[in-house]
Amino acid sequence: MSGNIQKEIESEETSQEEIDEHYGTVSISEDEVTAGAYDTWEIEYTVGELGLDDGSRIKIATNQTSDWAKPQFEDPTADNYASVSTSGEATVEGHFDRRYRTKKPWGDNIVIDVHDGYTEPGETITVTLGDTSEGSMGHQVQTFPETAFEFHVFVDMFGTGDYVLLDEVDYEIVAGEAARLQVIAPSTVDPGEETEVVVRALDYWYNTARDYDAELTIANGGEETLTFEADDPVEHIPVTFSDEGVHRVTIADEERGWEATSNPIVVGGDEEYDVHWGDIHGQSGDTVGTGTIDEYFSFARDEALIDFAAHAANDFQVTEEYWEQVKEGTRKYHEDGEFVTLLCNEWSTSTVNGGDHNVYFKNDDEPLLRSCGWQSEEGFDKHEGTYEVEDMYEAYEGRDDVMIIPHQGGRPARLRDEDEVDYDLTPFVEINSFWGVFEWFGQEALERGYECGFIAGSDDHTGRLGASRPTNDYEPTEVANLQAADFNITGGIMAASVDELTRDGLWDAMQSRRCYGTTGERILLDVDLDGANMGEKISVDGDASLDVTVNGTDPVKRIDLLDGSETVESVDLTEGDDLLELTWSGARSKNRHKVQNADGGLTLDKGEIEDAEEFGFDNPEQGITSMNDTTMEWKSTISGNYLGVKLDLDAPEDAELSFRTPFLSDSWELGDIEDGMVVDAGELDQQLAFRYVGEATEKDVEASFDLDADDGEDHAYYVRVVQEDGDMAWSSPVFVEG
């Protein structure tokens, strides 16, 4: 790809040949690489007639939301080594810089200095990324596919600081080979109705694999066993369930020894609504995401297999032309009964003026109300827009076809004061995305008087809406630019109980708060408080009970009942109490960089660790890294999420257990560790929690909580479900009037 100078001088009648002659040309040695692999490629600049003066620079910029490894120019034996060479006599040196030397999102920059000489026309400067000549493994490619991963090449030929965008070169990043299976099924079906389950072959990084063929064995909910010849990484398999109840489909690739079980499927019953799954928060490559709008929606529909979606681009980057493209994509992919889309604008003002709020429209042809035009306008017009949260809410006041959902991301949303809350416009806050888990945000909303439900989304930037995974992490940093290391956990999804899969049906479910969020798994969750379901507001006369039904994707180990920010009661659903569970959680900050390094380990001064099981580690590169009889080490990061280890210990009461991470280092005798003990370790719920538990064995569970709700006080009761694998779900509250 070439000709980017043409964009800057498009008013002049200048040919590409003239540009190449005077400014030079750029080439890249690879056209395809594999996601997450170590590879080597060269970017070569051939100098034009202007030459490069002593003190000139070349800058190669890439998207800051990529998790490609940080190039390093110091150690040729270490991973991700990059070298710079020239066919001329000048000295050339490179370094990596990610402090916004280039406009967002092109924040990752390789800068090449030319000094102690100059280059002549026709000479070359070559950057070798992943130079293996002295022992480096190469350079690690980003861990998610992309049709065109771009390198923007800028030149400053006279060392003036005035760069010209010379060219954009790219390669395609493809998924790796299949490493595991995933099975996705509809959550509710009728008896005797033919439906489909979908098997998806995934690579190591949980992308849809490059290719896949196998003979699959399908256990159809215990009713029959089928076989299926798969020749594609995404296969739709027809199944029918004759018996009412909760079913799951297990699919096995016996040759490779792989097996996967679907999410729960409720067959029949007298439910008024069907449960459908969606992700209404993410963006594509024209802002700070990946890929085109077509790729964005088609992935959500055809690979993530979600039922509804929305595109939420940072509005200060959105031109009127791009807004038309968003509307066109929203209309193009909407199909009642199959896939529902919502038009959305991510109103992205500065935090001081309100922070990030997604604005959703029932109609798909709405004007763009921008917070400002910082990257979409020029000159003094950059500031123009509706950039204060009060004015944005006022602009939509009284409308029943608009919803505004605050969320935590790069610019954390600031919640409104109690006397300013507009319940009709804000039925939800988002408490989970791949930035982290933000229970504190939902609790703050309730404490401020919001009568809101809780949903989750991915806020995906990686082209994987509805199936977003954590990116490969960098070293923690406090530098205030966005980076892939901020995307720390699996992206959330939301469930909606709808009477029909249409835009009207979804809108009604959201307005009525018949929705809830999970950490990405399709966990079925139902609550009932004296006949009221999640999202409803009731009065209670006398004692009441809140009944909970969960159909999990893994055994359910705990259900917590909360009232606002207070944990009222917890039900342990494990069998026994002979295992010591350590759970660490919390976040570094409420601001952009939320990720807290939690690498660490534990030691036992006597006795032994007989066995250990990890949970909640979403990144395949994290988890327990080593263990012996008395010592364990792990690699870990947290951003509000919960993860940890469950230990089977054979040790006396006076054995000392030592725990160490960057945010907490302490020791306790085993006899002093009480069930439910919590050690606070900092702000934003940084803590270590101890529980004595057993093994969870049941995926389908019920619990009942007795409530003393007739006390004249207002209550917001909701539940948090925790599975054995660490995945979670949060119901929207049932509101009880005092």
Side-chain angles (χ1 to χ4, degrees):
M1 169 186 314
S2 62
N4 291 284
I5 289 181
Q6 289 277 23
K7 297 177 183 178
E8 300 189 12
I9 58 176
E10 59 187 356
S11 61
E12 301 178 25
E13 296 180 357
T14 306
S15 69
Q16 187 62 49
E17 290 74 16
E18 290 177 286
I19 293 172
D20 293 347
E21 177 185 355
H22 295 292
Y23 288 83
T25 59
V26 181
S27 64
I28 189 168
S29 63
E30 297 291 316
D31 57 13
E32 182 181 285
V33 295
T34 299
Y38 285 86
D39 212 325
T40 301
W41 64 96
E42 295 178 348
I43 298 175
E44 183 175 86
Y45 170 59
T46 301
V47 181
E49 291 294 326
L50 284 172
L52 289 182
D53 209 354
D54 193 324
S56 60
R57 282 183 168 180
I58 300 168
K59 182 171 59 175
I60 302 172
T62 64
N63 194 320
Q64 67 208 47
T65 59
S66 170
D67 66 348
W68 75 312
K70 176 181 175 180
Q72 58 91 10
F73 293 81
E74 295 78 32
D75 185 354
T77 67
D79 296 348
N80 309 309
Y81 176 64
S83 62
V84 187
S85 61
T86 179
S87 64
E89 298 296 324
T91 299
V92 289
E93 294 180 322
H95 69 274
F96 182 74
D97 190 320
R98 63 172 346 167
R99 294 176 180 263
Y100 280 135
R101 309 302 186 195
T102 313
K103 281 186 178 181
K104 188 177 184 177
W106 308 104
D108 280 6
N109 291 273
I110 295 169
V111 180
I112 302 162
D113 289 289
V114 180
H115 61 91
D116 289 340
Y118 56 87
T119 63
E120 298 187 15
E123 294 181 340
T124 58
I125 295 176
T126 303
V127 180
T128 302
L129 288 149
D131 185 340
T132 61
S133 61
E134 296 189 51
S136 171
M137 281 184 61
H139 190 107
Q140 190 172 27
V141 178
Q142 79 176 22
T143 61
F144 48 93
E146 187 169 2
T147 303
F149 181 88
E150 296 179 357
F151 298 87
H152 291 196
V153 182
F154 299 80
V155 291
D156 173 12
M157 296 176 172
F158 297 96
T160 62
D162 186 7
Y163 287 90
V164 172
L165 174 59
L166 173 61
D167 206 347
E168 299 168 8
V169 294
D170 62 63
Y171 53 49
E172 181 178 6
I173 303 174
V174 298
E177 297 298 326
R180 57 178 64 85
L181 299 178
Q182 177 188 28
V183 185
I184 301 171
S187 289
T188 49
V189 299
D190 293 328
E193 173 191 7
E194 183 175 278
T195 187
E196 290 182 333
V197 297
V198 179
V199 60
R200 183 171 168 238
L202 306 177
D203 71 5
Y204 175 78
W205 298 99
Y206 292 82
N207 304 303
T208 304
R210 184 184 316 171
D211 49 46
Y212 179 65
D213 60 84
E215 181 176 275
L216 301 176
T217 301
I218 300 102
N220 186 5
E223 297 190 358
E224 58 180 322
T225 299
L226 311 170
T227 59
F228 185 87
E229 293 291 335
D231 58 10
D232 191 86
V234 179
E235 290 282 9
H236 294 248
I237 302 173
V239 294
T240 303
F241 302 94
S242 57
D243 297 334
E244 292 192 356
V246 179
H247 295 254
R248 293 173 179 83
V249 174
T250 298
I251 293 182
D253 179 338
E254 294 180 355
E255 181 180 346
R256 295 176 173 88
W258 299 345
E259 185 177 280
T261 299
S262 74
N263 52 285
I265 308 156
V266 176
V267 179
D270 56 357
E271 297 298 326
E272 182 179 358
Y273 302 107
D274 290 326
V275 175
H276 288 278
W277 296 91
D279 185 354
I280 57 174
H281 192 181
Q283 51 190 310
S284 58
D286 278 71
T287 49
V288 292
T290 301
T292 66
I293 291 175
D294 275 324
E295 290 170 333
Y296 175 91
F297 279 122
S298 62
F299 179 93
R301 181 191 64 190
D302 301 333
E303 296 186 44
L305 284 305
I306 55 175
D307 304 310
F308 55 91
H311 183 281
N314 296 132
D315 64 355
F316 59 80
Q317 297 179 283
V318 177
T319 63
E320 291 294 339
E321 179 183 5
Y322 186 49
W323 183 239
E324 291 301 317
Q325 294 176 28
V326 172
K327 292 192 289 186
E328 180 183 349
T330 302
R331 288 190 288 265
K332 175 180 176 181
Y333 283 88
H334 176 80
E335 183 180 357
D336 281 345
E338 298 294 333
F339 187 68
V340 172
T341 62
L342 295 176
L343 182 64
C344 175
N345 165 43
E346 181 167 352
W347 185 82
S348 303
T349 194
S350 61
T351 305
V352 69
N353 286 316
D356 286 344
H357 293 65
N358 284 355
V359 182
Y360 296 91
F361 304 97
K362 188 176 182 181
N363 304 311
D364 56 22
D365 189 18
E366 292 281 346
L368 175 63
L369 182 74
R370 245 189 334 232
S371 59
C372 74
W374 194 256
Q375 283 194 266
S376 56
E377 300 294 338
E378 299 294 333
F380 189 67
D381 291 343
K382 282 178 173 291
H383 83 282
E384 291 191 350
T386 305
Y387 53 81
E388 293 189 359
V389 66
E390 292 81 7
D391 295 333
M392 185 267 289
Y393 268 92
E394 184 178 347
Y396 295 118
E397 186 177 6
R399 292 185 58 170
D400 62 2
D401 58 353
V402 176
M403 283 184 282
I404 301 169
I405 300 180
H407 66 270
Q408 296 294 300
R411 289 155 298 277
R414 290 173 56 238
L415 294 171
R416 310 182 81 200
D417 293 332
E418 185 171 357
D419 59 353
E420 297 175 332
V421 176
D422 191 324
Y423 303 118
D424 294 329
L425 282 174
T426 302
F428 296 102
V429 296
E430 184 184 88
I431 64 168
N432 172 224
S433 71
F434 74 173
W435 293 82
V437 173
F438 317 115
E439 290 177 321
W440 55 267
F441 185 58
Q443 292 166 0
E444 181 184 342
L446 295 177
E447 290 168 357
R448 282 176 176 257
Y450 281 69
E451 291 179 358
C452 61
F454 300 149
I455 61 171
S458 65
D459 199 359
D460 181 70
H461 291 45
T462 68
R464 298 178 290 183
L465 188 77
S468 185
R469 297 291 302 187
T471 48
N472 208 18
D473 60 282
Y474 293 134
E475 295 178 6
T477 178
E478 298 181 12
V479 177
N481 60 314
L482 175 67
Q483 58 176 294
D486 293 316
F487 309 145
N488 187 49
I489 64 173
T490 299
I493 56 175
M494 62 176 285
S497 296
V498 303
D499 57 3
E500 58 180 8
L501 185 59
T502 63
R503 195 171 285 164
D504 285 342
L506 176 60
W507 197 263
D508 178 66
M510 293 178 69
Q511 291 268 285
S512 302
R513 300 185 296 240
R514 296 195 306 271
C515 303
Y516 63 92
T518 81
T519 52
E521 292 294 323
R522 302 184 189 208
I523 301 166
L524 292 178
L525 171 59
D526 183 70
V527 301
D528 182 290
L529 200 167
D530 274 13
N533 297 314
M534 65 179 75
E536 294 188 57
K537 187 174 183 178
I538 63 167
S539 297
V540 173
D541 184 13
D543 293 339
S545 66
L546 187 142
D547 301 318
V548 183
T549 302
V550 182
N551 307 112
T553 58
D554 203 60
V556 180
K557 68 179 178 183
R558 194 173 77 252
I559 300 175
D560 301 321
L561 172 67
L562 295 96
D563 179 9
S565 59
E566 178 188 357
T567 300
V568 178
E569 187 178 348
S570 292
V571 174
D572 181 358
L573 297 167
T574 65
E575 296 180 356
D577 59 0
D578 54 330
L579 304 176
L580 179 60
E581 180 186 88
L582 281 68
T583 303
W584 51 96
S585 58
R588 172 191 168 272
S589 169
K590 288 185 179 181
N591 298 305
R592 182 180 297 277
H593 296 303
K594 300 170 176 62
V595 180
Q596 169 65 52
N597 180 11
D599 290 347
L602 58 84
T603 58
L604 195 65
D605 74 340
K606 62 183 71 172
E608 67 177 280
I609 305 169
E610 293 195 329
D611 197 12
E613 180 181 349
E614 64 188 36
F615 58 88
F617 291 87
D618 289 351
N619 191 320
E621 297 287 277
Q622 296 186 7
I624 297 172
T625 57
S626 65
M627 186 177 73
N628 58 33
D629 288 349
T630 59
T631 303
M632 173 188 298
E633 294 185 341
W634 56 76
K635 185 173 175 59
S636 167
T637 50
I638 51 174
S639 51
N641 52 312
Y642 297 71
L643 44 76
V645 294
K646 192 155 55 172
L647 307 175
D648 184 0
L649 303 177
D650 182 9
E653 291 283 287
D654 63 346
E656 186 173 80
L657 178 73
S658 298
F659 177 90
R660 62 183 186 281
T661 62
F663 65 92
L664 174 65
S665 293
D666 208 339
S667 299
W668 307 268
E669 287 192 359
L670 291 182
D672 294 334
I673 296 175
E674 298 178 357
D675 185 33
M677 186 173 82
V678 175
V679 180
D680 291 323
E683 296 182 357
L684 284 182
D685 298 326
Q686 289 185 14
Q687 62 180 30
L688 175 66
F690 296 92
R691 290 185 179 88
Y692 284 100
V693 299
E695 292 286 352
T697 60
E698 299 297 325
K699 295 182 179 180
D700 303 309
V701 300
E702 295 181 351
S704 185
F705 298 93
D706 293 328
L707 305 176
D708 182 16
D710 185 20
D711 57 1
E713 301 290 332
D714 291 338
H715 299 274
Y717 291 112
Y718 60 99
V719 297
R720 172 176 58 209
V721 176
V722 184
Q723 294 190 154
E724 189 82 311
D725 59 6
D727 274 300
M728 304 169 70
W730 299 264
S731 76
S732 286
V734 180
F735 297 92
V736 178
E737 294 181 294

